[in-house]
Amino acid sequence: MKAPEPVYLVRRIGDTLIAADETFSQFYQIEPAEELETRPIPQLDGIDPPDEPYFSLKPLVGQDSPHLYMLGIPYSGGSGMEGSKVAGFEQSLRAESWKKVMYPALTQSRISGLYDIGSGQRLLESVMMQDLGTCQTDDTDSYSKGLNSALVYTEREEALLCCIGGDHSITYSILKSILSRSNERIILVQFDAHHDCGVDAIHQNEMHHANFVRHLLTEDGIAAVVQIGLRGLRSVDQMYKHPKLVQIPAEQMTPERVRTTLLDIQHKFQAEAAYLSFDLDCLDPGSFPYVDFPISGGPSWFNTRNCVVAALESSLPYVGFDMVEGQEAESDERIPGQYEMALRMLTYMMDGMHRNYLRHGKDALRVSQALEGTRR
């Protein structure tokens, strides 16, 4: 019987490297090598590198370049909640991820990934990723320098960018930045309990988290907005209709309806790409209560997950994604257990994005290439 071989690099103790086999039942001391050095974190304008990255994952120099980068956007300036704590969510989610360490493989461009015990799935195993860190904010609370640096970098690397907010207005900024450099027509696929199309007789021209969709709908590059998970009561003046706005209420959302709706919208509006945004208040507050504006009666976590997976099985290539509107935990050492639900959803989003990326191949990079072409 062949003896197990070292597969994953699990620890560095000074100049000593400790590796484990596939089952983490055998451990080995291995010789240092240039290809086993940690890949440096890109130093980008307006971004502070993380003290400890998501999942404590540090890819190796000898592995393929990451094709998914993560960026924190600690912004609450677009929130309607006084004293909102959504700016700190990105760091709280990063801290939650430290409980689920992933390890780089020694001889292949892959990582150990994560097991979802409930579904029996192994996720993220082939997703090369790296945490860029957190956007700096200036006196006006702007994060634009860091966001634009990250977008330019990931476009050049032909990689996807995952942004963790922050309030939902960051989605507007991300898409505006993409649209400013591209002629592609993009569908925003938005999981949310709210429609974010608020109308205010006095302040309606001021873009914020509760009306950013209405502003996006005026953009020619936005082919359509598909909202999934809406629920609750609204006043008549709180309702909003637009030819490019398609909604699937929480009571009617199923994976099959998500698939057919996106396919219909793709053809009807001649869309060429998609962008995914997940507002954590889409989850029922019984699953994840740490949001500013919870609405009860939400779909089950499992139905929501399955609908997200279905959305990412679209025939459209996705150009990026974000998760927003979670609240900051009291401290990195006291992260409530429900934060694992948010991390679990993010894991499925990243895994589904990667599958979409592989499925579409070069087509998935068309928007990035178009952005580069317009800058030349």
Side-chain angles (χ1 to χ4, degrees):
M1 182 176 180
K2 185 178 179 180
E5 297 179 353
V7 175
Y8 300 111
L9 179 61
V10 299
R11 185 166 300 178
R12 298 174 187 270
I13 305 175
D15 295 330
T16 301
L17 304 183
I18 306 298
D21 65 1
E22 183 70 48
T23 62
F24 285 78
S25 60
Q26 299 286 335
F27 295 89
Y28 310 82
Q29 180 176 332
I30 59 175
E31 292 294 323
E34 182 178 353
E35 64 271 17
L36 299 181
E37 293 297 316
T38 298
R39 180 181 292 274
I41 297 173
Q43 303 297 300
L44 303 177
D45 286 344
I47 299 176
D48 291 323
D51 293 331
E52 181 72 10
Y54 271 92
F55 304 104
S56 297
L57 176 65
K58 299 173 183 177
L60 306 178
V61 168
Q63 295 183 311
D64 289 344
S65 297
H67 44 253
L68 191 156
Y69 289 90
M70 307 181 75
L71 177 70
I73 302 181
Y75 181 71
S76 60
S79 176
M81 173 69 75
E82 184 176 353
S84 174
K85 296 181 179 179
V86 296
F89 173 72
E90 60 96 16
Q91 177 55 29
S92 293
L93 193 64
R94 185 181 280 114
E96 172 65 22
S97 77
W98 298 337
K99 305 173 187 176
K100 323 290 180 185
V101 178
M102 294 193 292
Y103 306 97
L106 294 172
T107 58
Q108 300 180 47
S109 287
R110 66 184 181 92
I111 56 178
S112 56
L114 298 172
Y115 277 107
D116 185 335
I117 295 174
S119 68
Q121 289 181 262
R122 190 165 177 175
L123 305 166
L124 304 180
E125 188 177 9
S126 61
V127 182
M128 298 307 301
M129 68 180 74
Q130 189 167 36
D131 187 354
L132 293 175
T134 299
C135 285
Q136 301 167 356
T137 54
D138 59 23
D139 293 339
T140 63
D141 215 17
S142 173
Y143 52 87
S144 59
K145 179 185 290 187
L147 173 60
N148 287 325
S149 294
L151 285 171
V152 169
Y153 181 79
T154 53
E155 288 157 12
R156 186 172 66 245
E157 293 293 304
E158 298 185 340
L160 294 170
L161 182 64
C162 168
C163 296
I164 310 297
D167 71 63
H168 215 156
S169 67
I170 72 166
T171 303
Y172 176 85
S173 299
I174 296 165
L175 282 170
K176 279 286 286 184
S177 184
I178 292 174
L179 293 172
S180 69
R181 304 177 180 91
S182 172
N183 294 321
E184 301 285 340
R185 290 175 55 75
I186 299 172
I187 294 176
L188 168 61
V189 182
Q190 175 188 356
F191 284 80
D192 205 321
H194 306 87
H195 66 357
D196 294 339
C197 293
V199 176
D200 186 304
I202 299 175
H203 303 291
Q204 63 178 345
N205 292 326
E206 299 175 10
M207 198 282 302
H208 49 76
H209 77 136
N211 71 2
F212 80 94
V213 171
R214 181 167 54 82
H215 285 271
L216 277 177
L217 287 167
T218 66
E219 299 288 335
D220 291 338
I222 295 296
V225 176
V226 179
Q227 298 180 320
I228 305 166
L230 306 175
R231 59 186 183 271
L233 296 172
R234 302 290 190 276
S235 298
V236 173
D237 62 337
Q238 292 176 318
M239 300 303 294
Y240 188 79
K241 294 186 181 299
H242 191 282
K244 297 195 297 184
L245 182 63
V246 179
Q247 299 173 327
I248 303 176
E251 288 87 345
Q252 301 173 25
M253 60 185 278
T254 64
E256 184 56 34
R257 180 159 184 187
V258 170
R259 289 189 193 95
T260 57
T261 298
L262 288 180
L263 185 60
D264 290 345
I265 295 301
Q266 176 184 349
H267 295 310
K268 179 179 179 180
F269 293 97
Q270 298 181 329
E272 297 161 290
Y275 181 91
L276 176 66
S277 180
F278 192 93
D279 187 322
L280 281 158
D281 65 30
C282 182
L283 296 175
D284 187 87
S287 297
F288 190 80
Y290 300 103
V291 296
D292 286 349
F293 300 96
I295 299 182
S296 60
S300 71
W301 187 89
F302 303 103
N303 186 30
T304 307
R305 177 202 62 189
N306 292 342
C307 286
V308 167
V309 171
L312 291 170
E313 291 172 346
S314 166
S315 56
L316 286 168
Y318 278 78
V319 296
F321 59 116
D322 63 55
M323 176 175 277
V324 297
E325 294 285 351
Q327 293 178 340
E328 178 183 12
E330 290 185 13
S331 71
D332 289 354
E333 290 74 35
R334 298 182 62 186
I335 308 291
Q338 293 94 332
Y339 276 72
E340 187 184 63
M341 281 293 187
L343 186 69
R344 196 173 171 193
M345 183 62 72
L346 180 64
T347 299
Y348 274 94
M349 289 169 64
M350 292 191 296
D351 192 78
M353 272 297 163
H354 174 67
R355 294 176 188 276
N356 180 276
Y357 176 96
L358 294 180
R359 189 164 57 251
H360 290 283
K362 292 182 179 180
D363 287 341
L365 303 173
R366 286 182 304 164
V367 171
S368 294
Q369 292 166 345
L371 297 179
E372 287 295 317
T374 57
R375 281 196 291 270
R376 291 192 181 102

